[in-house]
Amino acid sequence: KNISLVLRLYSLQLQGSYLWKLEIETKPHIQELSVQTTIISRYAFTAVSCSMLNRHSAATQGVFQFHIPTAAYISNFTMIVGGRVFPSQVKAKERKMKKEGGENNGNKNKNTPEQSEGEMEVFRMEVTIPGRNRAVFLLTYEELLQRRLGRYEHVTSVRPMQLVSRLSVGVTIVEHSRITYLEVLPLRNGKTPSSNGNGKADVGPPVSTVVKQNETFCKISFTPNIAQQAKIATNGMLGEFVVRYDVEREIGIGDIQVLDGHFVHYFAPKDLPVVSKNVVFVIDTSASMVGTKIRQTKEALFTILRELRPNDHFNYVTFSNRIRVWQPGKLVPVTPNNIRDAKKFIYMISPTGGTDINGGIQTGSALLSDYLSSKEESHHNSVSLIIFLTDGRPTVGSPVIIGNTKAAVQEKFCLFTIGMGDDVDYRLLERMSLENCGTMRRIPEDADASGMLKGFYDEIGTPLLSDIRVEYSEDAVEYITQNLFTNYFNGSELVVAGKLTNRSSDSLHVQVTASNSERSIVLEKDVSIHEREQETERRLAEVEAGPNTNGYVERLWGYLSVKDGLKGRLRSQTSAEWENYMQHATNLSLTYNFLTPLTQMIVEKPQVLADGTLAQTQKEADATEAPPPAETSNQLSEDNNSLTPQSGVSKPAKKSVTLSKTSADGDPHFVVEVPHSKLTMCFNINGEPGHILRLVTDHEHSGVTVNGALIGAPAPAGSHKEQRTYFSTITIVANKPRRAYIEVTPQKVILDERDRMILPSSSSISVETTNLAVVIIANTNLTVTIQGTIQFVILFHHYKNPAPYQRDHLGFYIANSKGLTIQGTIQFVILFHHYKNPAPYQRDHLGYPALKVKDRTVTVIKKSRRIYSGKQTIDCWFAKNNAAKLIDGQYSDYVVSHLFDTGDWANGTNTH
C-alpha cells in the first residue's frame, strides 16, 4: 500500500509538472524588451518596445503589461501584430462613460490593489497573436522629474514576468548645468533593494550596468543576459532600475531655458535660513492599524520627534471612533520635557475602533487654527501644516469631509496626507491635500512604511521660503503655469513654464518675491531670450539628444498645464469655473496626445479567425487590388527578426524600389542628376552640427517639404576636415490634401496623420493611409510614397562597433519625382538649382573642366562616387570648395529654423 501511495503521488506530481510546463510553453515568448529614456532638463521621454513570439501554430493570448510612474502621461501606444499596425487613438472621455463592445481601451489603472504599487501604475493590453507570428508593443510616456531631498529620481520598471532573450534599459541624461551627483541604485522591489541571489542585499549598480558621463551628459545602460536575469529573479520580476542625480544650481533667479517660443524656469535656491514651523500630526489609530502598521508609524514618529528644531511648535491628534489630543488647546515648543512627554504619548498609542477621518481632521485643523489666531504676530514668518495619516476609509461621505476640511483650513495652513496600504480612499486624500496646498503620498501594503514616512517628513520638514510669487514681463508671456507657491522646502524645486508672445523682444524680465524666516525677499533679472535659446539649441546639438527632445520645452509646458487644469478643477468654486478647467485640460491632453484622467485610449484589436490567421479589416476587404499570393504568408521563422505581414498588407521587398542617383548620404555627399540632361553633379557640404537643412521644397505646389538635421563627429586622423557631419533626423511634411508628417531617425519612424504611430526601424512593416504609404525593410531602408507618385527612400546606417568619427545616420534618395514641380525636384539637395540650358563641359581660364552656371564659371573635376551603402559606383562632375559658385546665396540661406519648417525657399522661386 505504501509503495502504491508513493507511485500515485509521484504520478500526480509528474502530471502537475507537465501541466505547468505546458502552460508556460504556450505563453508567448518575449524575445526582446527595450526601455529607453532620454531625460532632457528633468523632462523624461520613455520609449518601450516589447516583441513577443508565438512559437505554436495555434493562436494564443499575449499580455503586454508595464508599470508606469503615477505622474507620467502615456503619449503613444501602437501594436504590430502579424505585420499589421494597430495604432491607438486618444479621445476625450464622455462625461458619462459607457463601454462599447467594439472598443478596447488601453488601461492605466488607478486605485486597484492589484494594479497599483505605490507611485507606479500598470498599463495592460491583451491581444490574440496568430500562430507562428510575432506581436510588437510600442509604448511611450512622458514625465517631469520632481526634485526631492536634493535629488531627481528616475524609475524604470523591469518586470517582464519571464526571462527575456534581449533585455536592455537605457537612461540618457542631458542637462544644461553640471551634473554634481549621480547614483545608480541596486534593483529595487517594492521599496527595498533586491537580493543578488545569495540572500544578501545588493550594493551598487545592478550587474551589467555601464555608465558613461561627462559634466552635463550621462548615458547609462543595463543589459543583463538570461543567466544574469535568472540570478536576480527566475520569474522575470527583476524590480525597479533607479537612477538618482542632481545638478549645480545657479545663484539668484534660477535656470531659464527657451526653445521654440516656450520657456521653462527652474527655481531651487539654497543656503537659506530655515523657517520655523507649526505642525500637527493627525494619526489613524483604528483597529486596522494593529501590528506592523502601528509599529512602523511609531518608529517614524520617534525619529521625526528627534528632528524637530528648537523654534518649532507641535502637537498630536489620534483618531479611531474617538478623538484624543495630546496637549489640548495648544501647540507646544520643542523642549526636553515636551519631547519626553511626547515619546510617552506615542508609546502608549493603542489601535482600536473605527475610522473617523472627518473628526480627526476637524480636531487637528481647529487646534492649529486657534493657535495661529492667538499668536498671529509672533508667527508671521513661520510655516504651518498638518500631516495626516490613515490606512482606511471614512465612516462618513467624501463630499462632507472635503467641504468640512476646506472650511476648517481656510487657507491658513497646508494639509499633507499619507495613505498606508490598499484599503484607502486615495482620491479623497489627494483632493484633501490638493485643495489645501499640500501633497499626497502612497505607502504600499508591504513597503518599509517607517522609512517612507520619515522620507516624506524630510521633504517637508525644512521650509526655506513661503508665499513665493514668480512673475514675468506682462507683454512677453502668456499661459504661464502655476506661479504662486505657498512654500518652498529644502531639496525641492519650483518649476514654471509658459509661452512667449512678443518674439520681437529679446528681453524677459523675471521677478521672484517670497518671505523667509527674517524678511521679505525680491529677486529680479533681465534675461536675453535669444541667448538662452541659442544656449539650449547648442546643448541639444552637442550631445545629440535625439528627435524626441526637439520640442521638450513646449511638451513640458503642456504637461504642467494639464496638471494645473486637473488641480484647478478640484479647487473650482462654480460650475462655470469647473467647466473651464475641464475644457482647457482636455484640449491640451488631446493636443499632446496625453492619456490623462480626462481622455481615453481607443485601440483597435486584431480579429483572429478559427484557422489562426488574422481577419481582414474592412479597408482591406474593400481594396480593389489584392497583393500577390507569394507575399501573404502568415508563417514566421523563430530566427527571423523581421515581421511577416498578413493578407491585405504587402510584404516589404528589398528589390521593389529603383533608386535614382539624386541623393544626400554619408558625410553628407550630395549627388544630383540634372533633369533633361545627362549631367550628374556631386559636391560636399561642410555643415554645422545642430543645423537643419532644406532638402526638398515644393510646399506651394505638391505640399511636400523635406528637411534634415545634422549631427557632428570628429574627423578621422589625418583628414583635411575639422569634423564630419551626418543626417541624424529627416522629416517629410506633406500638406496636401491634409497635413501629415513623417519623422525618421536611425532607430524609429514616427508617422503622424490622423493617428500617430511610432514604428521601430528594426522591424519590417508596411503601413498605408489615405495619402501616404510607408514601407520599412528592417535595419535597411524606408520607402515613403506620397499621393501615389512622389517617392523617397531613406537608408538606415547603423554601426555595431563605431569608430570615433562614425555615427548612426540616414541617407536620402529620390526614387520618383513625378508630382513635384521643377523647383521642388531640383531644390532637393539644398543648394542646387535647375538651368534650362546647362553647359556640362567647358574650360575655365586655366584650361580645367568647368560648368557654366548663369554668369558664373564653376571649376569641376571628374570623380567616382559610391552610393546605396557602397553597392553602386557612379561618375560625376565634382564641384570643390563647398560648392562655391554653384549655389545662389550662402550656406546660411539654406538653414531652416526647425525640422517642420515649411517656409518659403530662401532664394525665391528659382525659375532661372
Side-chain angles (χ1 to χ4, degrees):
K1 290 182 181 178
N2 289 340
I3 293 173
S4 174
L5 180 60
V6 169
L7 287 174
R8 178 175 288 185
L9 288 173
Y10 182 66
S11 174
L12 289 171
Q13 185 180 10
L14 285 177
Q15 186 180 7
S17 174
Y18 171 75
L19 290 172
W20 174 82
K21 186 177 180 183
L22 183 64
E23 180 186 351
I24 294 298
E25 287 190 346
T26 57
K27 184 179 178 181
H29 171 58
I30 299 178
Q31 289 187 304
E32 183 171 7
L33 174 64
S34 170
V35 187
Q36 303 299 320
T37 298
T38 299
I39 303 168
I40 174 77
S41 294
R42 293 74 139 175
Y43 195 66
F45 298 85
T46 299
V48 183
S49 174
C50 178
S51 177
M52 288 185 189
L53 173 67
N54 177 11
R55 294 188 178 100
H56 301 275
S57 56
T60 190
Q61 290 297 109
V63 177
F64 171 69
Q65 183 169 296
F66 197 83
H67 290 70
I68 295 171
T70 302
Y73 289 147
I74 291 171
S75 52
N76 183 72
F77 177 68
T78 301
M79 293 187 299
I80 307 166
V81 182
R84 187 180 298 159
V85 178
F86 295 88
S88 64
Q89 189 174 8
V90 172
K91 292 184 175 181
K93 277 185 181 178
E94 297 178 11
R95 294 299 167 85
K96 292 183 179 179
M97 284 293 297
K98 291 183 180 178
K99 287 192 176 181
E100 298 180 14
E103 295 181 346
N104 298 288
N105 295 344
N107 293 316
K108 187 182 174 190
N109 300 289
K110 294 191 175 186
N111 297 326
T112 54
E114 69 277 12
Q115 301 292 351
S116 180
E117 293 191 11
E119 296 182 23
M120 303 293 281
E121 294 170 351
V122 176
F123 178 89
R124 178 185 169 92
M125 179 59 65
E126 189 170 329
V127 67
T128 302
I129 305 175
R132 301 287 182 190
N133 253 290
R134 184 179 284 112
V136 178
F137 302 90
L138 306 170
L139 175 72
T140 63
Y141 59 88
E142 303 171 22
E143 63 173 321
L144 177 65
L145 303 185
Q146 294 192 5
R147 189 168 181 255
R148 293 175 177 171
L149 301 175
R151 305 282 185 265
Y152 303 103
E153 181 175 283
H154 181 266
V155 179
T156 304
S157 175
V158 191
R159 297 183 175 93
M161 297 187 292
Q162 59 178 271
L163 301 179
V164 178
S165 302
R166 297 184 297 277
L167 174 63
S168 64
V169 176
V171 179
T172 300
I173 301 171
V174 181
E175 285 290 345
H176 281 227
S177 305
R178 185 171 65 90
I179 297 172
T180 57
Y181 171 87
L182 178 70
E183 181 185 12
V184 181
L185 276 62
L187 287 173
R188 191 170 68 187
N189 275 301
K191 292 297 173 182
T192 58
S194 67
S195 168
N196 57 15
N198 58 12
K200 297 179 180 178
D202 283 341
V203 178
V207 63
S208 80
T209 301
V210 176
V211 179
K212 298 178 181 178
Q213 180 185 7
N214 62 26
E215 277 203 342
T216 60
F217 173 83
C218 178
K219 192 173 185 67
I220 303 163
S221 62
F222 171 55
T223 55
N225 57 36
I226 286 186
Q228 291 167 330
Q229 294 172 45
K231 193 172 181 181
I232 299 167
T234 55
N235 62 358
M237 304 293 278
L238 276 62
E240 295 172 349
F241 185 76
V242 183
V243 176
R244 288 180 182 161
Y245 76 99
D246 198 24
V247 298
E248 198 167 54
R249 304 282 146 196
E250 288 189 19
I251 297 174
I253 207 73
D255 179 18
I256 296 175
Q257 298 170 24
V258 178
L259 192 66
D260 299 333
H262 293 76
F263 75 92
V264 59
H265 181 188
Y266 300 101
F267 183 64
K270 58 180 182 178
D271 301 327
L272 295 171
V274 177
V275 179
S276 62
K277 61 182 175 293
N278 312 303
V279 57
V280 175
F281 299 89
V282 180
I283 309 298
D284 184 346
T285 58
S286 61
S288 58
M289 288 285 290
V290 72
T292 302
K293 288 180 183 177
I294 199 65
R295 177 179 57 77
Q296 292 185 326
T297 301
K298 287 182 179 183
E299 288 174 2
L301 291 176
F302 284 135
T303 305
I304 291 168
L305 197 56
R306 290 195 296 270
E307 296 187 0
L308 291 173
R309 294 181 172 83
N311 291 329
D312 294 341
H313 290 74
F314 70 107
N315 203 341
Y316 295 98
V317 174
T318 63
F319 68 92
S320 52
N321 51 2
R322 61 186 289 261
I323 312 296
R324 288 185 63 199
V325 180
W326 171 50
Q327 298 283 352
K330 61 183 177 181
L331 268 67
V332 300
V334 177
T335 65
N337 286 342
N338 285 337
I339 294 294
R340 181 198 63 204
D341 293 345
K343 287 180 179 177
K344 291 180 182 177
F345 178 79
I346 295 169
Y347 181 78
M348 295 301 293
I349 291 175
S350 179
T352 183
T355 310
D356 187 2
I357 288 178
N358 187 61
I361 283 287
Q362 293 300 304
T363 303
S365 299
L367 194 64
L368 188 50
S369 184
D370 290 346
Y371 174 75
L372 294 175
S373 299
S374 64
K375 306 279 186 179
E376 192 166 342
E377 287 302 315
S378 61
H379 295 289
H380 176 68
N381 285 335
S382 64
V383 167
S384 300
L385 46 108
I386 288 179
I387 298 177
F388 176 86
L389 180 145
T390 184
D391 78 328
R393 295 181 177 272
T395 53
V396 298
S398 296
V400 174
I401 294 175
I402 291 168
N404 290 348
T405 302
K406 199 163 189 176
V409 173
Q410 296 180 338
E411 299 183 356
K412 293 180 180 179
F413 45 86
C414 295
L415 172 62
F416 295 85
T417 59
I418 305 167
M420 295 180 70
D422 298 333
D423 190 32
V424 178
D425 188 344
Y426 283 110
R427 290 183 183 276
L428 170 64
L429 296 189
E430 183 176 35
R431 186 163 180 183
M432 286 167 60
S433 59
L434 285 178
E435 290 196 6
N436 297 285
C437 70
T439 56
M440 184 269 290
R441 185 63 50 85
R442 303 183 187 194
I443 299 179
E445 191 71 44
D446 299 324
D448 174 15
S450 178
M452 292 187 70
L453 283 170
K454 171 65 170 54
F456 183 57
Y457 175 79
D458 287 345
E459 290 177 31
I460 62 176
T462 311
L464 300 181
L465 295 173
S466 61
D467 303 321
I468 306 101
R469 178 184 292 268
V470 187
E471 296 183 298
Y472 309 90
S473 317
E474 284 188 11
D475 62 338
V477 301
E478 64 178 352
Y479 301 122
I480 61 172
T481 59
Q482 179 185 351
N483 66 326
L484 302 175
F485 303 91
T486 307
N487 298 304
Y488 165 70
F489 298 104
N490 187 42
S492 65
E493 182 174 62
L494 306 181
V495 184
V496 183
K499 278 188 173 183
L500 296 169
T501 53
N502 188 357
R503 301 303 297 272
S504 61
S505 172
D506 185 48
S507 180
L508 178 66
H509 183 73
V510 184
Q511 182 184 73
V512 179
T513 59
S515 299
N516 68 5
S517 60
E518 300 168 353
R519 64 186 186 283
S520 296
I521 60 173
V522 179
L523 301 171
E524 290 186 271
K525 187 175 183 179
D526 288 316
V527 175
S528 170
I529 295 173
H530 182 65
E531 285 181 9
R532 297 287 171 139
E533 185 155 28
Q534 279 190 324
E535 172 66 15
T536 304
E537 290 173 345
R538 184 178 68 82
R539 284 277 184 223
L540 291 176
E542 275 181 0
V543 300
E544 302 164 17
N548 274 346
T549 60
N550 289 332
Y552 81 94
V553 178
E554 180 182 349
R555 294 192 71 84
L556 190 159
W557 168 79
Y559 173 93
L560 285 178
S561 297
V562 171
K563 297 281 185 186
D564 286 352
L566 294 172
K567 292 177 186 175
R569 178 185 62 157
L570 296 179
R571 292 193 295 262
S572 57
Q573 301 294 316
T574 65
S575 58
E577 192 179 358
W578 183 89
E579 182 64 35
N580 184 52
Y581 280 121
M582 280 280 290
Q583 197 60 51
H584 181 62
T586 301
N587 290 343
L588 284 170
S589 299
L590 296 175
T591 298
Y592 295 102
N593 211 56
F594 288 154
L595 180 59
T596 71
L598 304 179
T599 55
Q600 59 181 331
M601 180 173 281
I602 308 301
V603 185
E604 179 192 2
K605 284 189 178 181
Q607 300 299 315
V608 178
L609 301 175
D611 62 359
T613 61
L614 283 180
Q616 281 189 320
T617 63
Q618 188 61 45
K619 181 179 178 181
E620 291 165 349
D622 294 341
T624 56
E625 189 175 333
E631 297 185 356
T632 59
S633 169
N634 71 342
Q635 299 301 303
L636 177 64
S637 166
E638 187 172 337
D639 297 324
N640 180 9
N641 285 328
S642 65
L643 294 162
T644 304
Q646 297 293 306
S647 58
V649 182
S650 298
K651 177 182 177 180
K654 293 185 180 181
K655 295 181 181 179
S656 62
V657 177
T658 303
L659 303 185
S660 73
K661 300 174 187 176
T662 304
S663 58
D665 205 346
D667 190 4
H669 305 307
F670 293 89
V671 177
V672 180
E673 281 187 296
V674 179
H676 317 299
S677 167
K678 296 181 180 180
L679 182 68
T680 301
M681 293 293 303
C682 52
F683 50 91
N684 298 338
I685 293 298
N686 298 323
E688 290 294 324
H691 281 180
I692 299 168
L693 306 182
R694 177 65 47 80
L695 299 181
V696 174
T697 178
D698 195 31
H699 183 69
E700 187 176 335
H701 297 88
S702 65
V704 175
T705 303
V706 183
N707 299 321
L710 294 174
I711 56 170
S719 172
H720 66 282
K721 300 177 68 173
E722 293 183 3
Q723 65 178 351
R724 284 189 167 190
T725 51
Y726 304 92
F727 286 117
S728 63
T729 307
I730 291 174
T731 54
I732 302 172
V733 180
N735 260 16
K736 295 181 180 180
R738 57 180 293 137
R739 185 174 176 84
Y741 77 80
I742 300 170
E743 182 177 349
V744 187
T745 74
Q747 288 72 40
K748 64 186 174 185
V749 177
I750 300 175
L751 171 60
D752 199 329
E753 192 181 22
R754 292 187 176 181
D755 300 313
R756 178 180 169 89
M757 288 179 272
I758 303 179
L759 312 172
S761 65
S762 57
S763 296
S764 295
I765 305 166
S766 176
V767 181
E768 187 170 348
T769 66
T770 308
N771 303 299
L772 291 173
V774 172
V775 178
I776 300 174
I777 303 296
N779 296 315
T780 305
N781 64 50
L782 161 73
T783 302
V784 178
T785 306
I786 303 171
Q787 299 168 18
T789 57
I790 303 167
Q791 194 169 62
F792 304 126
V793 175
I794 297 174
L795 304 189
F796 302 120
H797 297 290
H798 297 108
Y799 298 96
K800 289 185 178 179
N801 298 296
Y805 53 84
Q806 293 175 323
R807 297 285 187 271
D808 286 356
H809 64 279
L810 304 170
F812 182 73
Y813 294 77
I814 288 184
N816 189 348
S817 61
K818 185 179 179 182
L820 291 173
T821 63
I822 288 179
Q823 291 84 3
T825 305
I826 304 310
Q827 285 167 347
F828 159 70
V829 192
I830 55 173
L831 314 161
F832 194 75
H833 301 274
H834 175 55
Y835 305 98
K836 293 180 181 177
N837 298 300
Y841 187 62
Q842 300 181 5
R843 297 280 179 181
D844 65 9
H845 66 287
L846 296 176
Y848 291 107
L851 179 70
K852 193 71 176 177
V853 178
K854 294 186 184 176
D855 57 350
R856 306 190 294 270
T857 299
V858 182
T859 302
V860 294
I861 60 174
K862 194 81 170 181
K863 266 200 172 186
S864 292
R865 275 271 166 90
R866 295 179 69 83
I867 57 176
Y868 313 151
S869 300
K871 294 176 182 176
Q872 183 176 338
T873 301
I874 61 164
D875 294 325
C876 60
W877 293 102
F878 179 75
K880 298 189 291 185
N881 301 323
N882 219 32
K885 295 186 180 180
L886 183 66
I887 67 172
D888 287 341
Q890 305 296 319
Y891 164 83
S892 58
D893 296 333
Y894 303 91
V895 177
V896 296
S897 60
H898 57 85
L899 278 166
F900 303 99
D901 190 330
T902 58
D904 292 335
W905 181 246
N907 289 306
T909 58
N910 300 309
T911 56
H912 308 289

